């Protein structure tokens, strides 16, 4: 089969012909119908996110946003799952070895990521452990289903779980790319007011306004802080979402937080976290909260909300490319050609 593979030693990405994988006892084989191209995939290719070669593993198939049809079952897969079922795949899986997994004491701290720690879905077929499957409703196209496991579920979990957003709270969203565009829609669906999108790119700001933001600001504006104060009745932001992963964003976000405001770090900067002066921060009882990914129940919730049209991400699929054109899709995302929210690969197209 054809697969988009990243060499872990040379960092070279390209299309290769590899053997069709056989499912283990607790796995299913999926015939992939759609796979999203995420900025994280780009960071793996350009080395921003480093993958070290593992014993016996020199390359990996990328892609953690995957939807398709069950094609073959492993011997221990429960009868709930059958060939022909439409499914999407969680972006990762628990390790099954740490105390949290073995003792079921909490969140696994060694989550394995699809397309990083094991082969992903930029291929004609992909393997998935059966407990990472989520059924896809018949009315939800594969292209829209594929982007739910990360581009939608990650900001969804950040908003409802980590930020604990409440109706009529003022929200600032730094970075209106793939995650940020969905964060705007989600914040609007959950009653945030006002929603302020913040991005240096004019095209991203225009998109945010079309998706439901009440205002869109350039973070480089000299009167940025005053604009935020004016939009929020001089109070500041109740929730500041950093989806950019840039240290300067965090400094700016903290400067416009309201009393008891929460700054949620979704984008990863790989840099020390500083909070400025502690007296005003503590006096205002502000908080900084880290966020990563989502829990499985968040993905199930997003699928249900999409099924019943409480959320509609049809406009998020900016283009659909044949699997063989994965390198072209990577290039287009790097150059932000056409200002895409999500490019999706379709094997067999």
């Amino acid at each position: 089969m054809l697969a988009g593979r990243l060499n872990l030693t040379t960092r070279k990405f390209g299309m290769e012909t590899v053997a069709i994988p056989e499912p283990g006892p607790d796995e299913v084989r999926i015939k992939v119908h759609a796979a999203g191209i995420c900025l994280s995939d780009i960071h793996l290719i350009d080395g921003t996110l480093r993958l070290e070669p593992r014993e016996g593993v020199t390359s990996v198939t990328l892609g953690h946003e995957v939807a398709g049809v069950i094609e073959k079952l492993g011997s221990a897969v429960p009868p709930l799952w059958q060939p022909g079922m439409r499914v999407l795949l969680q972006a990762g899986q628990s390790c099954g070895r740490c105390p949290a997994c073995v003792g079921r004491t909490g969140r696994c701290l060694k989550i394995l990521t699809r397309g990083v720690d094991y082969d992903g879905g930029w291929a004609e077929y992909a393997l998935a452990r059966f407990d990472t499957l989520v059924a896809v409703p018949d009315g939800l196209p594969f292209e829209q289903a594929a982007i739910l496991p990360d581009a939608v579920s990650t900001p969804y979990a950040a908003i409802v779980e980590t930020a604990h957003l409440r109706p009529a709270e003022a929200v600032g969203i730094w970075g209106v790319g793939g995650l940020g565009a969905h964060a705007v829609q989600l914040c609007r669906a959950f009653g945030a007011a006002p929603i302020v999108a913040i991005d240096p790119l004019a095209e991203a700001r225009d998109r945010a306004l079309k998706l439901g933001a009440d205002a869109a600001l350039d973070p480089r504006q000299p009167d940025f802080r005053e604009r935020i104060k004016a939009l929020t009745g001089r109070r500041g932001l109740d929730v500041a979402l950093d989806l950019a992963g840039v240290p300067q964003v965090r400094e700016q976000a903290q400067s416009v937080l309201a009393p008891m405001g929460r700054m949620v770090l979704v984008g990863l900067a790989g840099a020390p976290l500083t909070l400025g002066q502690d007296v005003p921060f503590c006096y205002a009882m502000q908080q900084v909260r880290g966020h990563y990914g989502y829990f499985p129940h968040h993905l199930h919730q997003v699928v249900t909300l999409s099924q019943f049209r409480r959320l509609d991400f049809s406009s998020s699929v900016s283009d659909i490319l044949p699997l063989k054109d994965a390198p072209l899709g990577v290039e287009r995302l790097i150059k932000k050609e056409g200002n895409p929210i999500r490019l999706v690969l379709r094997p067999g197209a």
Side-chain angles (χ1 to χ4, degrees):
M1 68 173 185
L2 191 64
R5 305 275 290 176
L6 175 66
N7 186 295
L8 302 182
T9 302
T10 65
R11 319 302 305 174
K12 182 180 179 181
F13 171 75
M15 304 308 295
E16 299 178 14
T17 299
V18 298
I20 296 175
E22 287 296 321
D26 62 350
E27 294 179 322
V28 302
R29 185 165 71 204
I30 305 297
K31 182 174 178 57
V32 178
H33 282 243
I37 302 178
C38 177
L39 192 59
S40 297
D41 298 309
I42 306 303
H43 289 331
L44 289 169
I45 293 170
D46 67 20
T48 302
L49 296 176
R50 295 292 298 177
L51 279 179
E52 297 302 326
R54 302 180 296 280
E55 185 177 353
V57 179
T58 59
S59 61
V60 65
T61 299
L62 297 182
H64 54 273
E65 297 183 339
V66 189
V69 172
I70 296 177
E71 196 255 355
K72 188 175 183 179
L73 305 175
S75 59
V77 174
L80 168 66
W81 304 106
Q82 291 295 321
M85 292 182 65
R86 306 171 81 244
V87 294
L88 56 80
L89 314 182
Q90 294 177 27
Q93 64 188 39
S94 59
C95 70
R97 298 186 301 273
C98 70
C101 287
V102 176
R104 301 187 182 278
T105 57
R107 179 169 185 168
C108 174
L109 298 179
K110 298 179 181 179
I111 289 287
L112 305 177
T113 303
R114 188 178 308 279
V116 177
D117 299 296
Y118 58 102
D119 283 341
W122 289 9
E124 295 177 71
Y125 295 91
L127 296 182
R129 210 168 67 191
F130 73 82
D131 61 342
T132 67
L133 300 175
V134 178
V136 174
D138 288 339
L140 187 62
F142 284 116
E143 291 77 16
Q144 294 176 41
I147 68 174
L148 298 183
D150 182 24
V152 177
S153 290
T154 293
Y156 175 89
I159 291 163
V160 303
E161 189 83 29
T162 305
H164 292 298
L165 177 69
R166 294 182 287 269
E169 286 194 314
V171 177
I173 300 169
W174 273 260
V176 195
L179 297 184
H182 295 127
V184 170
Q185 295 167 271
L186 291 164
C187 285
R188 189 173 183 89
F190 299 141
I195 300 168
V196 185
I198 300 140
D199 199 292
L201 297 177
E203 297 89 346
R205 296 195 299 272
D206 291 340
R207 178 172 64 197
L209 292 171
K210 293 176 182 176
L211 292 173
D214 298 293
L217 304 181
D218 186 331
R220 301 166 297 186
Q221 291 176 249
D223 62 343
F224 175 85
R225 192 169 185 274
E226 281 304 309
R227 293 284 299 277
I228 293 289
K229 292 290 185 180
L231 287 164
T232 60
R234 310 302 300 174
R235 174 178 167 78
L237 298 172
D238 298 295
V239 174
L241 296 172
D242 170 20
L243 299 170
V246 178
Q248 293 87 338
V249 162
R250 298 166 181 181
E251 296 171 11
Q252 188 176 58
Q254 186 185 344
S255 73
V256 291
L257 273 183
M260 301 187 74
R262 292 93 70 197
M263 179 166 64
V264 178
L265 311 183
V266 184
L268 303 178
L273 179 62
T274 58
L275 296 177
Q277 292 295 320
D278 60 350
V279 172
F281 182 82
C282 294
Y283 184 79
M285 298 180 67
Q286 296 168 335
Q287 299 179 32
V288 177
R289 302 178 180 180
H291 180 84
Y292 186 81
Y294 57 90
F295 289 105
H297 67 271
H298 294 129
L299 180 53
H300 285 273
Q301 290 169 0
V302 166
V303 170
T304 299
L305 290 169
S306 299
Q307 177 184 4
F308 289 95
R309 301 185 183 279
R310 300 302 187 270
L311 298 171
D312 181 3
F313 300 110
S314 56
S315 64
S316 296
V317 180
S318 305
D319 200 2
I320 300 172
L321 307 174
L323 174 63
K324 64 181 179 62
D325 287 345
L328 175 62
V330 167
E331 184 179 350
R332 284 177 59 178
L333 187 56
I334 290 173
K335 296 179 178 178
K336 299 188 184 300
E337 191 177 297
N339 192 24
I341 297 178
R342 263 303 185 267
L343 300 173
V344 175
L345 299 174
R346 180 188 289 164

